[in-house]
Amino acid sequence: MSRLLTEEEITRQLGALAGWTLDGDTIRATYKAPSFAEGIEFVRQVAADADDMNHHPDIEISYTTIRWALSTHSEGGLTQLDIELAHRITETAAQVGAQAEA
């Protein structure tokens, strides 16, 4: 099990994650993929990472827009797993050409 992050830890680590914002006990980001197929590939690649980590995001897909929400439900808030998965999502976005939306 992972411990909950402090507010200071969350703020500091979000500083290194462009496009990610804090919303209660969840971090969120929205990405725009170059095409629908590339958006689905983005999700597929993150799904493989999420399975490897045994930590799964909430995902909303609307054509080329992909919305991500991360929280460790079993712990009731944000843990280092959420930050690590956010980094992986950000890295994968760059690989597939998806851009973070403000």
Side-chain angles (χ1 to χ4, degrees):
M1 292 194 146
S2 295
R3 71 170 178 81
L4 290 175
L5 297 174
T6 66
E7 198 170 311
E8 186 274 327
E9 289 171 322
I10 294 166
T11 300
R12 181 175 39 81
Q13 293 192 64
L14 280 180
L17 287 163
W20 288 87
T21 59
L22 181 62
D23 179 17
D25 63 356
T26 301
I27 55 175
R28 299 180 187 280
T30 300
Y31 284 87
K32 186 86 160 176
S35 70
F36 180 72
E38 288 165 309
I40 296 301
E41 179 59 18
F42 177 25
V43 171
R44 189 202 64 75
Q45 288 183 31
V46 171
D49 282 341
D51 276 345
D52 289 345
M53 295 174 68
N54 193 30
H55 190 65
H56 303 92
D58 291 329
I59 308 164
E60 181 183 322
I61 302 167
S62 179
Y63 186 46
T64 59
T65 302
I66 300 97
R67 293 177 186 84
W68 303 90
L70 306 176
S71 185
T72 304
H73 303 292
S74 62
E75 298 300 319
L78 293 166
T79 68
Q80 196 59 41
L81 286 170
D82 301 303
I83 300 299
E84 174 59 29
L85 187 52
H87 277 288
R88 291 187 186 197
I89 291 168
T90 300
E91 291 164 8
T92 303
Q95 293 169 2
V96 302
Q99 300 293 316
E101 292 191 335

